[in-house]
Amino acid sequence: MSLFDLDTVLGFLGDAHSRGVASALVTVCSVEGSSMRNPGTLMAVAEDGSFAGSLSGGCIENAVVTEALEVIQSGAPRIVRFGAGSPYLDIKLPCGGGLDLHFSLVADPAFVEACLASVKEREPFSITLGPGVLKHQSGWQDGRFDLANGAATFGYWPSPMLQIIGHGAGVEALARLARVMGCGVKVLTPDDRIIAELSDQQVKAQRLSRTDETGLIDSDPWTATIFLFHDHDWEIALMEAALEQPHFYIGAMGGRKAHAFRSEALLARGVSEKAIASIHAPIGLFHSSRDPQTLALSTLGEVIRAYEAAEFGDALG
């Protein structure tokens, strides 16, 4: 499931129910060959033909909507094959692959409410599909699909949260870009102007008054903490605290000399070499980014790559 689709799809279903509009949930259950989307990817369709999410590059969405409307009318779930091996000979995927899609009527608003609550609380959850079954379950479950019985279960992790700590235009650029891309964002900064600007855009921003104000740092296993300070003296105590909390990524702006300085300072505070080695510095997919927008793009790309590669099983304790 794309980390950028989950909130959108569930929000669409919630809005449909609030308007009294019937809807269907479409789930990618299996993929054969090359495909743009992975098992567990979701799409939502309303009875008026509107939809949220996507299952291909636009190759099958119209046909998916047609199938979903039939399920909304009949109330009966179904599994449909698209692409290779599909009975729809006129609908082909350019990649040559195939998709098995599960269609289910979303009849119980409690299902959507439970999913949205898990998203809001940043808790892993799973969705179970089957004949007459569309169920939210707390906690992550590995994806599985039983074609013969028309049943499947897929787990969903919380989306990445970017905890941006710093000052300067790079903080604003990264916060805006991350929010546009569907990530959670919170900012700690000594810059009142940044707080005012981001608060106007509904981004949570708090004032950082001291270099040792570590109590403001708060993260979970799906948090990336990013330090964007030109004055690296601001970082040390805050970075030590961030390294001690759950996270999947910590990165810091500055070149190799700056990182050597912070590494020595962290070592002097008793931070382990292993923890220091986990810091992404210089930050970003491509270094020497001079303007705020390029720095933001480079940083967010590295964060998303780290999120996609992370093994979150340990987070379940």
Side-chain angles (χ1 to χ4, degrees):
M1 177 68 188
S2 168
L3 60 94
F4 307 121
D5 287 346
L6 186 59
D7 291 8
T8 300
V9 169
L10 294 174
F12 179 91
L13 292 173
D15 179 67
H17 273 292
S18 69
R19 295 184 290 114
V21 176
S23 60
L25 182 67
V26 188
T27 307
V28 176
C29 288
S30 70
V31 175
E32 179 182 325
S34 176
S35 173
M36 288 186 63
R37 311 313 297 270
N38 294 321
T41 298
L42 303 177
M43 178 174 166
V45 181
E47 63 181 330
D48 60 6
S50 60
F51 64 91
S54 65
L55 305 181
S56 72
C59 314
I60 64 171
E61 270 68 18
N62 288 338
V64 169
V65 169
T66 298
E67 291 283 347
L69 292 178
E70 292 181 7
V71 168
I72 290 172
Q73 290 241 333
S74 69
R78 64 179 65 171
I79 294 174
V80 181
R81 176 79 167 187
F82 287 90
S86 171
Y88 298 107
L89 299 178
D90 58 333
I91 302 175
K92 298 183 182 297
L93 297 176
C95 58
L99 299 173
D100 287 310
L101 306 182
H102 185 284
F103 294 77
S104 184
L105 176 68
V106 183
D108 184 3
F111 163 77
V112 180
E113 291 167 3
C115 291
L116 286 171
S118 290
V119 170
K120 182 179 180 181
E121 297 300 322
R122 295 186 58 76
E123 296 175 346
F125 70 99
S126 301
I127 294 176
T128 295
L129 313 162
V133 176
L134 180 59
K135 184 180 179 182
H136 165 278
Q137 293 182 288
S138 297
W140 166 274
Q141 294 190 37
D142 289 332
R144 56 184 182 273
F145 174 49
D146 181 352
L147 177 60
N149 293 308
T153 296
F154 296 100
Y156 301 91
W157 298 116
S159 61
M161 170 68 71
L162 273 68
Q163 181 172 231
I164 307 169
I165 306 174
H167 52 216
V171 171
E172 295 175 80
L174 180 56
R176 291 187 182 117
L177 180 60
R179 186 147 188 237
V180 166
M181 294 301 293
C183 300
V185 180
K186 53 187 177 182
V187 172
L188 301 177
T189 179
D191 191 328
D192 289 330
R193 185 193 62 80
I194 290 178
I195 293 173
E197 290 283 342
L198 293 179
S199 296
D200 287 345
Q201 300 170 48
Q202 307 304 310
V203 175
K204 182 180 179 182
Q206 292 179 271
R207 192 173 202 288
L208 189 65
S209 301
R210 305 185 313 275
T211 59
D212 62 350
E213 205 167 5
T214 58
L216 294 178
I217 294 178
D218 181 31
S219 65
D220 59 27
W222 306 279
T223 296
T225 300
I226 298 149
F227 290 87
L228 300 179
F229 282 112
H230 295 281
D231 180 356
H232 300 291
D233 287 329
W234 270 96
E235 299 172 341
I236 307 307
L238 298 168
M239 191 172 291
E240 179 184 14
L243 286 165
E244 292 173 350
Q245 294 195 21
H247 61 273
F248 72 89
Y249 174 100
I250 289 183
M253 184 174 69
R256 289 177 174 80
K257 288 184 178 179
H259 189 54
F261 163 79
R262 74 169 61 94
S263 297
E264 290 178 10
L266 289 169
L267 277 171
R269 294 177 69 93
V271 178
S272 71
E273 292 185 0
K274 181 179 179 181
I276 294 170
S278 72
I279 301 168
H280 294 258
I283 202 169
L285 291 178
F286 39 95
H287 303 149
S288 300
S289 302
R290 299 299 184 185
D291 63 276
Q293 289 73 28
T294 304
L295 174 64
L297 178 62
S298 175
T299 300
L300 185 59
E302 186 173 58
V303 167
I304 298 306
R305 184 174 68 178
Y307 177 89
E308 296 286 2
E311 296 289 342
F312 290 123
D314 292 342
L316 300 179

